[in-house]
Amino acid sequence: MRIRIADTPPYYEDTLLDGPKPISDDWKNIFRGLRLHDIDALMPVPDDPEQVWVFAGEKYARVKIGVETSSRKPNGRVKTGPMNIGEGWKSTFGSTPGFKNGIDEVVPVPGDPNKYWVFSGAQYMKINVTDTEYMDTVDQAPRKLSL
């Protein structure tokens, strides 16, 4: 679905603009090669706000996202991938058991656009991704989630 979140008082009021509907309706050309029924996480590319890494099962792709001006529907193209997570993220997910088989969620670390909390199953870690080359390193080793 597509929603609008208010950026003026009262903040956080939402308006449904379109949907909900299957991913395959609008996104089939953008997520080519990924399992459309199973998009697990999106991760912003730190130096390009129009790009995201899309994780689906053990695969991922880097995608440039835009919108069609006439319809405001999603538009874009795959920049790299799809490929196996373990191949493209060798220094982080590829070298960590549990992460190369799938990413469940990604949360940017506030105040640092190059750092992310990444969750997979019952564990999480903090990683760093450089601008331009997108070299990935572990910033905090994986830990078990505990409540």
Side-chain angles (χ1 to χ4, degrees):
M1 76 173 86
R2 187 166 53 99
I3 64 171
R4 175 182 297 127
I5 305 295
D7 59 358
T8 58
Y11 296 106
Y12 307 116
E13 287 192 359
D14 60 325
T15 305
L16 180 64
L17 299 176
D18 192 22
K21 55 186 164 181
I23 290 174
S24 58
D25 286 1
D26 292 328
W27 297 85
K28 64 183 169 197
N29 294 327
I30 302 169
F31 295 152
R32 195 174 313 118
L34 295 172
R35 293 177 296 166
L36 291 175
H37 64 280
D38 192 21
I39 302 296
D40 299 317
L42 300 176
M43 180 176 173
V45 173
D47 61 348
D48 188 341
E50 294 181 358
Q51 291 190 57
V52 293
W53 285 289
V54 179
F55 295 91
E58 71 287 340
K59 302 250 184 226
Y60 84 98
R62 186 164 47 95
V63 176
K64 184 168 184 86
I65 295 179
V67 293
E68 295 175 8
T69 53
S70 60
S71 64
R72 302 298 300 159
K73 291 191 178 217
N75 191 356
R77 69 183 190 284
V78 173
K79 298 282 286 183
T80 60
M83 63 174 45
N84 289 329
I85 292 172
E87 293 174 33
W89 296 83
K90 293 178 183 171
S91 300
T92 53
F93 312 142
S95 63
T96 308
F99 284 84
K100 64 183 162 191
N101 297 326
I103 304 301
D104 295 325
E105 185 61 69
V106 176
V107 178
V109 173
D112 195 335
N114 296 83
K115 295 187 187 296
Y116 305 90
W117 293 105
V118 183
F119 300 84
S120 181
Q123 60 183 342
Y124 69 97
M125 69 175 157
K126 186 165 61 168
I127 68 166
N128 185 70
V129 180
T130 63
D131 292 341
T132 310
E133 295 88 18
Y134 308 125
M135 301 296 296
D136 55 316
T137 55
V138 174
D139 207 48
Q140 178 184 331
R143 297 180 180 175
K144 292 273 186 201
L145 287 171
S146 60
L147 300 175

